[in-house]
């Protein structure tokens, strides 16, 4: 295990009714001006908006609304939110939604505190923001675990980059599985696959021999697979959703990453696919993963073989490591089909004449991956996904 420091700044309030129970006391400790940030309006249809608004009013807050945060949030939307936050002297941002709203607000909280352009400040001057508007998250869609980290994935449309900016950690997160009941099933599946992908991408980093972080990781993967199956079978199974919302948070709260350098090559490729096509994140990952993993097989054989046995419950009897590794990729591919995720870009509406070379060329090559991909090989991967 590598050396590490571990501490966690985000306080989690988990369970049905958590907002009504815990939010008033939390809000009592922050200033009067709260920005309520949300997406395209699902929270107005399912009652979450009304419930939160009534809590905010009851504790005497001045509420400024910032709505319309889109999936794959843009840098322009960040700037719009930062302007509103500055103009209204916002003391706290309450982000209500999935990864897109939660990410967008992380960057707003930093951008509202500096006059320079945050993208240039972080990516050109290699600066780190040090002042933030405090934030709380109310998770309505599980998968990204974005409420548990301080990285935000933002699309800069002018630069054609979907990349990470570093913002603040949330002071608190409300995880109420009942709030996820109205998630479209497509999002339940793609979010769950995203969480599974976070586990796998963490697992595939180094060190590669058995370690405690990976053993906890294997349990998370088994949990996500089992509870996605249960949720598809019975969408009102709140206990399965409780497991999924917490498993997704576990995948991103740092515990699985303790002592590890992570991989995340599939993510880097998918993010650039998103920059060029605005595709659904979890669906893009589902298409890319098996193809990328077949390219990684020689280097990743030992870890894949362990996943076959410890996660996918494949018998090792009479099989060598290579056979088990291949069976892992087959099991993953079969699961993707079983849960109804796409297996080709064409099923996601991504045109065959998309500029895949530009996507591969602009993809970050990750340091933690057991195989060092070249941009040419990433282009081969993308072409095999079409
Ligand atoms: O916008 P509304 O109307 O709220 O609808 C949303 C959106 O259309 C809907 N939704 C959310 N909760 C709902 C609901 N609909 C009905 N009932 C509910 N309770 O779901 C749709 C998708 O939401 P979105 O937030 O876009 O999805 P997700 O949570 O998958 O977030 C995706 C974004 O997160 C980034 C992705 O790249 C993408 O931009 N990621 C962030 C990560 C991080 N910060 O750690 C890690 C991930 O790897 C990922 O890259
Ligand atoms: Zn992801």
């Amino acid at each position: 295990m590598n050396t590490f420091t571990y501490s966690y700044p985000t306080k989690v309030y988990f369970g049905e009714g958590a907002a009504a129970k815990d939010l008033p006391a939390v809000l009592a400790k922050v200033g009067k001006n709260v920005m309520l940030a949300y997406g395209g309006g699902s929270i107005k249809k399912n009652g979450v908006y009304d419930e939160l608004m009534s809590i905010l009013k009851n504790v005497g807050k001045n509420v400024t609304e910032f709505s319309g945060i889109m999936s794959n949030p843009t840098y322009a939307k960040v700037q719009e939110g930062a302007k509103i936050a500055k103009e209204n002297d916002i003391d706290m941002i309450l982000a209500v939604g999935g990864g897109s709203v939660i990410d967008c607000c992380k960057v707003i909280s930093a951008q509202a505190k500096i006059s320079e352009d945050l993208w240039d400040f972080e990516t050109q001057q290699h600066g780190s923001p040090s002042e933030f508007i405090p934030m709380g998250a109310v998770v309505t869609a599980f998968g990204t675990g974005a409420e548990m980290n301080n990285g935000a994935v933002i699309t800069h449309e002018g630069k054609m980059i979907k990349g990470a900016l570093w913002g603040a950690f949330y002071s608190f997160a409300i995880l109420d599985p009942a709030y996820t009941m109205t998630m479209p099933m497509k999002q339940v599946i793609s979010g769950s696959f995203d969480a599974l992908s976070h586990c796998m991408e963490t697992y595939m980093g180094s060190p590669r021999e058995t370690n405690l972080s990976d053993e906890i990781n294997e349990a998370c993967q088994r949990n996500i697979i089992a509870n996605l199956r249960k949720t598809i079978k019975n969408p009102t199974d709140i206990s399965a959703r409780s497991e999924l919302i917490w498993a997704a948070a576990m995948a991103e709260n740092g515990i699985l990453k303790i002592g590890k350098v992570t991989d995340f090559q599939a993510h880097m490729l998918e993010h650039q696919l998103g920059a060029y096509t605005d595709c659904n994140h979890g669906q893009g990952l589902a298409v890319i993963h098996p193809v990328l993993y077949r390219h990684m097989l020689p280097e990743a054989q030992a870890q894949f073989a362990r996943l076959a046995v410890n996660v996918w419950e494949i018998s090792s009897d009479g099989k060598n490591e290579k056979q088990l590794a291949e069976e892992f990729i087959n099991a993953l591919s079969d699961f993707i089909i079983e849960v109804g995720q796409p297996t080709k870009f064409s099923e996601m509406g991504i045109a065959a004449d998309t500029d895949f070379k530009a996507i591969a060329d602009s993809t970050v090559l990750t340091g933690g991956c057991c195989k060092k991909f070249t941009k040419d090989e990433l282009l081969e991967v993308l072409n095999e996904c079409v």
Side-chain angles (χ1 to χ4, degrees), residues 40 42 71 99-100 103 140 149 151 162 179 182 187 198 267 271 281:
S42 68
S71 286
S100 296
D103 274 1
T140 67
N149 62 43
K162 186 176 179 190
Y179 281 4
T182 52
Q187 190 58 36
H198 296 162
H267 265 70
H271 285 163
H281 176 60

Side-chain angles (χ1 to χ4, degrees), residues 200 202-209 211 214 218 260 296 299-309 321 325 328 368 370:
M200 293 191 293
T202 301
Y203 193 94
M204 295 313 297
S206 62
R208 306 184 203 292
E209 60 278 3
N211 58 77
D214 284 357
E218 288 165 358
K260 294 208 63 157
M296 279 165 62
E299 294 83 357
Q301 195 170 288
Q303 284 160 292
F304 285 172
R306 268 210 315 275
L307 286 174
V309 176
E321 196 177 78
F328 155 67
C370 57

Side-chain angles (χ1 to χ4, degrees), residues 143-144 193-195 197-198 201 252 264 267 270-271 281-282 285:
T144 64
F193 191 82
D194 185 24
S197 167
H198 296 162
E201 299 249 56
E252 279 301 311
F264 280 85
H267 265 70
E270 195 289 329
H271 285 163
H281 176 60
L285 289 169

Side-chain angles (χ1 to χ4, degrees), residues 304-317 319 323-332 334:
F304 285 172
R306 268 210 315 275
L307 286 174
V309 176
N310 297 348
V311 172
W312 296 93
E313 295 170 351
I314 293 166
S315 163
S316 59
D317 286 355
K319 293 169 195 161
Q323 287 167 322
L324 281 171
E326 281 167 351
E327 288 194 28
F328 155 67
I329 302 177
N330 292 339
L332 181 65
D334 290 349

Side-chain angles (χ1 to χ4, degrees), residues 136-162:
V138 178
V139 176
T140 67
F142 49 73
T144 64
E147 67 280 7
M148 303 305 293
N149 62 43
N150 69 331
V153 187
I154 301 294
T155 301
H156 195 306
E157 291 171 300
K159 297 182 193 291
M160 294 297 276
I161 293 175
K162 186 176 179 190

Side-chain angles (χ1 to χ4, degrees), residues 268-287:
M268 293 303 107
L269 191 54
E270 195 289 329
H271 285 163
Q272 273 315 95
L273 182 72
Y276 279 76
T277 67
D278 197 25
C279 65
N280 178 286
H281 176 60
Q283 291 197 337
L285 289 169
V287 176

Side-chain angles (χ1 to χ4, degrees), residues 50-289:
D50 288 340
E51 184 179 1
L52 295 177
M53 211 44 153
S54 128
I55 294 170
L56 286 161
K57 292 289 176 199
N58 283 342
V59 293
K61 300 298 176 194
N62 295 326
V63 179
T64 301
E65 293 191 37
F66 176 54
S67 63
I69 300 174
M70 64 292 278
S71 286
N72 303 325
T74 63
Y75 192 55
K77 195 70 186 172
V78 166
Q79 295 305 328
E80 188 188 325
K83 187 164 176 281
I84 292 172
K86 276 183 187 169
E87 284 168 359
N88 292 279
D89 203 13
I90 292 298
D91 298 308
M92 197 199 84
I93 303 172
L94 190 62
V96 188
S100 296
V101 172
I102 292 170
D103 274 1
C104 189
C105 290
K106 286 176 197 169
V107 189
I108 291 171
S109 92
Q111 181 67 82
K113 291 286 188 181
I114 60 167
S115 50
E116 295 117 297
D117 179 271
L118 195 77
W119 191 286
D120 287 346
F121 179 66
E122 291 199 15
T123 64
Q124 306 300 315
Q125 301 167 44
H126 305 291
S128 302
S130 54
E131 264 201 276
F132 304 97
I133 298 176
M135 297 178 298
V138 178
V139 176
T140 67
F142 49 73
T144 64
E147 67 280 7
M148 303 305 293
N149 62 43
N150 69 331
V153 187
I154 301 294
T155 301
H156 195 306
E157 291 171 300
K159 297 182 193 291
M160 294 297 276
I161 293 175
K162 186 176 179 190
L165 287 179
W166 301 97
F169 279 91
Y170 278 82
S171 320
F172 68 90
I174 305 272
L175 269 57
D176 181 344
Y179 281 4
T180 73
M181 282 303 198
T182 52
M183 279 170 80
M185 189 47 77
K186 171 188 151 185
Q187 190 58 36
V188 167
I189 295 165
S190 78
S192 302
F193 191 82
D194 185 24
L196 181 65
S197 167
H198 296 162
C199 293
M200 293 191 293
E201 299 249 56
T202 301
Y203 193 94
M204 295 313 297
S206 62
R208 306 184 203 292
E209 60 278 3
T210 303
N211 58 77
L212 177 60
S213 297
D214 284 357
E215 288 182 339
I216 302 170
N217 187 326
E218 288 165 358
C220 284
Q221 294 188 49
R222 287 195 300 272
N223 183 290
I224 293 165
I225 294 161
N227 285 293
L228 176 56
R229 283 178 169 143
K230 280 188 191 170
T231 308
I232 291 172
K233 206 165 162 196
N234 178 10
T236 60
D237 183 343
I238 194 146
S239 144
R241 282 174 191 259
S242 304
E243 296 290 324
L244 287 173
I245 196 170
W246 182 239
M250 274 293 290
E252 279 301 311
N253 69 6
I255 288 176
L256 308 187
K257 300 178 186 178
I258 285 178
K260 294 208 63 157
V261 177
T262 61
D263 173 358
F264 280 85
Q265 189 62 71
H267 265 70
M268 293 303 107
L269 191 54
E270 195 289 329
H271 285 163
Q272 273 315 95
L273 182 72
Y276 279 76
T277 67
D278 197 25
C279 65
N280 178 286
H281 176 60
Q283 291 197 337
L285 289 169
V287 176
I288 288 170
H289 257 292

